[in-house]
Amino acid sequence: MAAAANLHHHRHPHCLLLLLLPLSSCLLLFQPVGGIPTTLDGPFTPATRAFDRSLRRGSEDVPLSDARLAPRARPPSPEQISLAASANPTSLWVSWVTGRAQVGSHLTPLDPTSIRSEVLYGARPSSSSAAGAGEKEEDGYPHVARGSAEVYSQLYPYPGLLNYTSGVIHHVRLSGLAPSTRYYYRCGDSSLKAGLSEERSFTTLPAPAPGAYPRRVAVVGDLGLTGNSTSTVDHLARNDPSLVLMVGDMTYANQYRTTGGRGVPCFSCSFPDAPIRESYQPRWDGWARFMEPLASRIPMMVIEGNHEIEPQGHGGAVTFASYSARFAVPAEESGSNSKFYYSFDAGGIHFIMLGAYVDYNRTGAQYSWLKKDLQRVDRAVTPWVVASWHSPWYNSYSSHYQEFECMRQEMEGLLYQHRVDIVFSGHVHAYERMNRVFNYTLDPCGPVYIIIGDGGNIEKIDIDHADDPGKCPSPGDNHPEFGGLCHLNFTSGPAKGKFCWERQPEWSAFRESSFGHGILEVVNSTYALWTWHRNQDTYGEDSVGDQIYIVRQPDKCLLQPTSVISRDWTVLRPDALH
């Protein structure tokens, strides 16, 4: 188990080295500090920190009447402002909402063409701070970008269920930006009185290069909007990241009836007679307002989870309406043309966001795109490849155990072949870090898989492990909400012939049931510091939940030619390369 260390004591001696020395010299001189272990010390003996019974397993959602969730701007002023990275740091997405959403039986959607989608921006603050009419380029911003707007609806053809139609959702892509540069901006419609937001600012991510990295990358999953969620976001913001990865299950709006009221930890338990899995879409608006202070200055990159499915229409024929409308992602820029999977660069890191709830088979569009995307990666420019998707492949908790085994069997070989370094997932409401693994076998060239689904949502923390007595799920349990069942018994090792291990699996390095978030700090082309922060450690000077240096070994873990990979896992292992 990784040792706790005071981050303030070691953040960051390597930055001084990078300023004083060439990169090659820095790589030779860098040594982990503070007694923090590295993956080179592994594989580690599996360890579990027991759930702290003095803590509650969950908390209720924050009500929409809370000031942090209430509208802070009157139409036509923008609200729910957020940023998203584009495929590279020379461009960036700005999104916001104008107008008021509506809930009822017979609704008339707003007209998205009735208001402009503009972002005024520049490298210096504007000389004008008022959000009045007639704000133009000459008022202090040398650039104006224009984009598109849309409205979505959540419609239920069932008696007693209410419909929803959104405010006008705007997306504008800024281009021609300089990497690692602060910009100031206002968004909205400059032709309208009070049509522009107050001035805000952001700093672009570093250009792709082996010696330039985002200062800190925050990773959080299954966030929701409970008291625990707000603690997670407050803690995360204090760690001052330059990028946020949100690995699915954002709002948990589908824990509500369409009429609102109180959210519940289990929808089907509380509402067994509901004609469809309902959702209360105003929770999305409240969540976006709560996130705005962070998301309007730091790019937040999202990927869909099962709570974003939100079926509507007869038989749930329409899905993901809110997710698809509300978020801008670099789908077109990265060649995927789908908001369900995409990629982007941030300094020397290539991030890949995959979709667990769209076709992931080898004959499908996502797999084909992933293969091409990985082939395009130049490890001399972006040494690190980090992948994220919602549902974990490696997980020793009872919850969602082997649920996405089909996806693993389809895609794992491709990620291993291209030496993906780290994989982040959520779905399981707890924390778990794996030893390097491939095909359930310890492997020094496998990715480090990390479950970070402990953001704090209303469904509460997961505490049962599949290896606990009486807690092994049945092979017929844990049906995924997309895809088939591929549950398997292990064919080798201590669990040979069994569906579950009788002790913590050897590929599970450390696990704990606590709410929190993670911070990734890449040091150079081979070292990255990973820290898991528990919410209960918010004020602890010398306390972290888990901490380790993840070390790449590109000289030993060589990229593999396509010919060595096949469905039956005929992949060259490291010992076969010598």
Side-chain angles (χ1 to χ4, degrees):
M1 183 171 62
N6 186 348
L7 290 178
H8 300 287
H9 290 173
H10 71 261
R11 188 180 285 163
H12 289 293
H14 49 74
C15 296
L16 297 176
L17 290 173
L18 287 172
L19 290 172
L20 299 173
L21 296 169
L23 178 62
S24 59
S25 300
C26 184
L27 295 181
L28 292 173
L29 291 176
F30 175 73
Q31 294 291 330
V33 292
I36 302 170
T38 81
T39 51
L40 299 179
D41 302 322
F44 299 94
T45 301
T48 299
R49 186 182 287 138
F51 175 67
D52 186 346
R53 299 287 174 177
S54 69
L55 302 174
R56 293 187 299 167
R57 286 188 61 190
S59 59
E60 292 190 357
D61 270 345
V62 178
L64 289 179
S65 58
D66 188 287
R68 295 168 295 179
L69 281 60
R72 290 188 286 271
R74 290 188 176 186
S77 295
E79 64 159 358
Q80 304 179 43
I81 303 169
S82 64
L83 306 177
S86 188
N88 64 70
T90 62
S91 58
L92 177 137
W93 287 94
V94 183
S95 303
W96 67 94
V97 176
T98 55
R100 287 284 184 260
Q102 306 166 66
V103 176
S105 298
H106 303 287
L107 306 175
T108 301
L110 298 176
D111 179 5
T113 67
S114 65
I115 187 169
R116 297 179 185 174
S117 304
E118 299 177 317
V119 177
L120 286 66
Y121 64 102
R124 288 198 277 282
S126 169
S127 58
S128 171
S129 60
E135 188 75 47
K136 301 296 182 185
E137 299 176 49
E138 59 268 22
D139 290 323
Y141 296 103
H143 307 291
V144 178
R146 295 177 175 86
S148 61
E150 62 184 298
V151 169
Y152 82 93
S153 297
Q154 192 81 7
L155 305 175
Y156 297 100
Y158 301 100
L161 272 62
L162 299 181
N163 297 323
Y164 170 94
T165 185
S166 71
V168 179
I169 301 170
H170 305 259
H171 300 300
V172 175
R173 184 182 172 214
L174 313 186
S175 59
L177 304 175
S180 301
T181 301
R182 179 171 291 279
Y183 286 90
Y184 299 83
Y185 75 98
R186 292 168 69 183
C187 60
D189 185 339
S190 62
S191 70
L192 300 176
K193 183 178 181 180
L196 288 173
S197 69
E198 295 180 353
E199 184 175 78
R200 299 160 190 267
S201 68
F202 61 84
T203 299
T204 51
L205 295 166
Y213 298 96
R215 184 180 64 259
R216 296 182 197 102
V217 179
V219 189
V220 64
D222 302 71
L223 184 59
L225 194 47
T226 66
N228 287 314
S229 311
T230 63
S231 295
T232 299
V233 174
D234 290 346
H235 194 182
L236 183 156
R238 278 196 291 273
N239 278 323
D240 192 24
S242 48
L243 176 68
V244 177
L245 298 184
M246 189 78 64
V247 295
D249 285 3
M250 271 71 83
T251 70
Y252 288 78
N254 66 343
Q255 301 300 116
Y256 290 76
R257 303 298 301 264
T258 62
T259 49
R262 293 178 61 179
V264 294
C266 175
F267 185 90
S268 61
C269 306
S270 297
F271 311 118
D273 298 325
I276 194 172
R277 180 66 181 265
E278 302 173 33
S279 71
Y280 187 56
Q281 291 293 298
R283 295 297 302 182
W284 276 99
D285 297 305
W287 186 87
R289 293 176 188 126
F290 176 78
M291 295 298 296
E292 182 179 334
L294 178 71
S296 62
R297 62 183 179 85
I298 297 169
M300 183 175 70
M301 308 308 293
V302 303
I303 199 66
E304 79 280 0
N306 55 300
H307 284 271
E308 279 72 64
I309 296 175
E310 296 184 325
Q312 59 172 301
H314 288 286
V318 178
T319 55
F320 292 107
S322 184
Y323 171 83
S324 298
R326 290 179 179 271
F327 296 109
V329 300
E332 182 178 349
E333 304 101 279
S334 62
S336 82
N337 297 314
S338 169
K339 288 192 173 184
F340 299 107
Y341 52 92
Y342 60 90
S343 66
F344 65 99
D345 291 332
I349 312 173
H350 183 69
F351 288 96
I352 299 173
M353 312 292 279
L354 294 179
Y357 298 91
V358 292
D359 184 11
Y360 46 69
N361 291 320
R362 294 186 178 210
T363 56
Q366 179 175 203
Y367 189 94
S368 176
W369 168 83
L370 174 60
K371 186 175 181 180
K372 292 176 182 176
D373 188 80
L374 287 167
Q375 290 171 342
R376 284 193 295 263
V377 175
D378 183 351
R379 301 302 273 264
V381 178
T382 52
W384 290 85
V385 177
V386 176
S388 298
W389 58 87
H390 181 61
S391 308
W393 295 348
Y394 290 93
N395 160 40
S396 66
Y397 288 84
S398 300
S399 179
H400 306 301
Y401 181 77
Q402 283 201 26
E403 186 175 299
F404 272 75
E405 180 62 19
C406 292
M407 185 183 181
R408 184 193 72 82
Q409 292 179 23
E410 292 291 327
M411 286 185 155
E412 184 182 22
L414 188 59
L415 270 60
Y416 181 83
Q417 171 195 346
H418 288 275
R419 302 309 190 204
V420 169
D421 299 296
I422 307 171
V423 172
F424 294 114
S425 295
H427 204 37
V428 176
H429 302 158
Y431 175 78
E432 186 169 17
R433 172 175 52 82
M434 315 306 157
N435 284 310
R436 290 190 178 275
V437 62
F438 171 66
N439 199 25
Y440 290 110
T441 303
L442 296 177
D443 189 311
C445 295
V448 175
Y449 290 87
I450 295 173
I451 296 175
I452 191 76
D454 57 339
N457 68 78
I458 197 172
E459 288 185 328
K460 301 182 180 180
I461 202 80
D462 287 323
I463 62 174
D464 294 330
H465 307 114
D467 49 276
D468 291 340
K471 299 299 182 181
C472 177
S474 162
D477 294 338
N478 293 339
H479 284 251
E481 293 180 65
F482 179 87
L485 280 177
C486 297
H487 295 163
L488 53 78
N489 290 343
F490 295 100
T491 57
S492 62
K496 184 177 180 179
K498 299 176 181 178
F499 184 54
C500 296
W501 286 58
E502 293 180 349
R503 56 179 171 81
Q504 186 173 352
E506 63 185 5
W507 35 263
S508 172
F510 174 66
R511 61 191 183 187
E512 180 180 349
S513 299
S514 289
F515 294 119
H517 73 282
I519 295 287
L520 180 69
E521 301 172 87
V522 177
V523 178
N524 55 39
S525 64
T526 54
Y527 276 76
L529 179 64
W530 166 254
T531 306
W532 175 52
H533 294 275
R534 306 182 304 174
N535 284 0
Q536 63 262 39
D537 298 327
T538 302
Y539 304 105
E541 283 295 319
D542 300 306
S543 182
V544 295
D546 183 36
Q547 192 168 58
I548 191 169
Y549 280 101
I550 298 173
V551 184
R552 299 180 60 247
Q553 293 183 284
D555 55 332
K556 294 183 179 180
C557 299
L558 305 176
L559 301 181
Q560 297 184 350
T562 305
S563 59
V564 303
I565 191 79
S566 69
R567 185 180 293 272
D568 60 1
W569 308 113
T570 54
V571 178
L572 290 178
R573 294 191 173 278
D575 53 5
L577 299 174
H578 304 288

